[in-house]
Amino acid sequence: MKKFFRIPNRDRLNANCNSGMQTGMKIRAAQILLFAVGIVLIALGVLRGELSEIFAKGSLVCLECIGLG
Amino acid sequence: MSRLLIQLGFFLLQNPFLHNFFSGRIYQGELKSFCTPGLNCYSCPAAAFSCPIGAAQMFFSGARHTMSLYVAGFLLSVGVIFGKFICGFVCPFGLLQDLLYRIKTPKIITRLRFLKYVKYAVLAIFVVMLPMFFTNLPWFCAYICPSGTIFAAVPLLGANDFLRDQIGGQFILKAIIAAGVLILSVFILRIFCRVLCPLGAIYGLFNRIAVLRMRCDKKKCTGCKRCNKACHVKIEPAANSPECFRCGNCVKACEEGALSCSRE
């Protein structure tokens, strides 16, 4: 498992098979942007009370999910 | 620690109320307000959280809003960090399929050349369009989801006479799909994830840009192709294909240690 989660050092990163340095920076920018958008959406959803709607659905047996509705 | 143990740990984390399997009731506490990253039916008696696909369909199918910003944001932020790592390590239905695939039988190792695109159609049609534009039903949950059938319907119907009396054509259809998925899972690795799962379809889109993704050290790679041979999904491991669910077979097969699933 250690092998699977190994964090590569900077040299290995630069030699990444998938991408060069510039592509790596573009990917990093996309990650930050998408993550920020995700957090904003979560906050907006919470603010407009979506959690209570999810709770209302999830706290009762969903008849559709068990093939009866 | 093996991947199986991590999967079991996440299963228990998402489904801690195991005693409910015997009482035929579901957990009704506050945690149900939040989504879990994996395909974990919220009507599973042991489930502590809500299923993101079920929650999304609830909003699409005519609640107050047409689209859930919370669910969209949740899937976006989880996807961009983990990608399909969620499928490989967190999803309870993935765990069930992996356990079935461990049964010693001849295996069908196939690329599923065209079938792999079905999940995108399932996502667009059954999760979004049908619930949004046609009827107020969560179509994927109601007619397809084998996770709901196995983890929710079977224990609830088994323990509740009243619910059992309501069984009709819809349940039979779902049961046939679930049985088909279970049988095929013995022979084909993660058949449901690769062909039908709308959640996997979403996370797969993030595989190439996710923080946690496959990396290959060119200096160490000898081009022996052992990683390709070890892959039961028949993909190029280092390419971060949307089909890769991070089983780690390629990483184990690489004797040079060139492959890893890591963050930057």
Side-chain angles (χ1 to χ4, degrees):
Chain A
M1 218 54 211
K2 251 184 189 171
K3 192 179 167 193
F4 193 71
F5 286 111
R6 194 182 61 241
I7 299 168
N9 62 27
R10 185 53 56 188
D11 290 339
R12 281 201 233 118
L13 253 183
N14 291 342
N16 194 328
C17 290
N18 303 327
S19 53
M21 201 62 166
Q22 214 168 18
T23 317
M25 282 170 70
K26 280 182 191 167
I27 289 177
R28 176 61 69 88
Q31 286 168 351
I32 293 168
L33 180 71
L34 290 173
F35 186 72
V37 171
I39 296 298
V40 169
L41 287 175
I42 290 174
L44 289 174
V46 171
L47 286 175
R48 70 177 195 178
E50 289 182 8
L51 292 188
S52 59
E53 289 182 48
I54 294 173
F55 175 74
K57 176 76 176 173
S59 59
L60 298 172
V61 172
C62 164
L63 291 177
E64 296 93 344
C65 303
I66 60 173
L68 302 181
Chain B
M1 195 163 38
S2 75
R3 187 169 70 93
L4 183 64
L5 283 177
I6 296 174
Q7 286 176 290
L8 284 169
F10 275 115
F11 177 84
L12 289 174
L13 210 65
Q14 294 169 98
N15 298 280
F17 306 104
L18 295 175
H19 59 278
N20 283 348
F21 276 122
F22 305 102
S23 63
R25 285 185 299 196
I26 64 167
Y27 163 72
Q28 295 180 304
E30 292 290 326
L31 287 175
K32 277 279 173 77
S33 307
F34 304 99
C35 288
T36 180
L39 196 75
N40 197 142
C41 184
Y42 39 33
S43 283
C44 168
F49 304 98
S50 289
C51 169
I53 290 296
Q57 283 174 97
M58 178 192 69
F59 285 90
F60 286 136
S61 65
R64 194 151 48 94
H65 314 294
T66 52
M67 183 184 164
S68 169
L69 298 181
Y70 168 74
V71 176
F74 178 79
L75 293 177
L76 191 59
S77 28
V78 170
V80 83
I81 294 175
F82 299 104
K84 264 193 154 177
F85 177 85
I86 297 293
C87 308
F89 284 79
V90 181
C91 181
F93 199 66
L95 167 65
L96 176 65
Q97 290 173 88
D98 283 348
L99 290 174
L100 288 169
Y101 195 70
R102 282 173 172 246
I103 296 171
K104 295 234 178 292
T105 55
K107 304 298 176 192
I108 303 168
I109 297 172
T110 170
R111 199 181 291 241
L112 297 173
R113 204 174 291 266
F114 301 108
L115 284 176
K116 67 185 178 189
Y117 297 110
V118 172
K119 58 182 174 288
Y120 300 104
V122 169
L123 173 65
I125 297 169
F126 284 86
V127 176
V128 182
M129 288 158 85
L130 288 175
M132 198 181 238
F133 301 116
F134 293 95
T135 61
N136 294 338
L137 257 186
W139 280 70
F140 176 75
C141 297
Y143 294 103
I144 297 178
C145 185
S147 176
T149 312
I150 293 159
F151 290 127
V154 170
L156 288 177
L157 296 177
N160 192 316
D161 294 338
F162 174 74
L163 289 177
R164 207 161 44 239
D165 290 340
Q166 316 295 315
I167 287 177
Q170 186 186 341
F171 175 78
I172 292 168
L173 171 68
K174 281 195 66 166
I176 291 169
I177 292 173
V181 166
L182 291 183
I183 293 166
L184 286 173
S185 296
V186 176
F187 305 101
I188 305 173
L189 182 64
R190 296 283 189 118
I191 184 73
F192 171 74
C193 308
R194 293 164 65 192
V195 177
L196 290 175
C197 184
L199 196 55
I202 295 170
Y203 288 142
L205 298 175
F206 294 100
N207 259 7
R208 285 206 171 92
I209 59 159
V211 174
L212 207 61
R213 62 183 191 272
M214 297 301 297
R215 288 166 207 285
C216 168
D217 186 343
K218 251 184 182 170
K219 287 176 189 165
K220 287 185 176 176
C221 179
T222 57
C224 67
K225 300 283 179 194
R226 274 197 202 98
C227 50
N228 294 55
K229 285 172 197 154
C231 181
H232 285 212
V233 187
K234 297 291 256 179
I235 50 172
E236 179 68 44
N240 284 300
S241 155
E243 299 302 307
C244 175
F245 63 91
R246 315 307 193 205
C247 69
N249 283 351
C250 53
V251 178
K252 279 184 209 154
C254 182
E255 288 178 0
E256 282 73 27
L259 277 171
S260 64
C261 184
S262 56
R263 66 174 173 82
E264 283 168 299

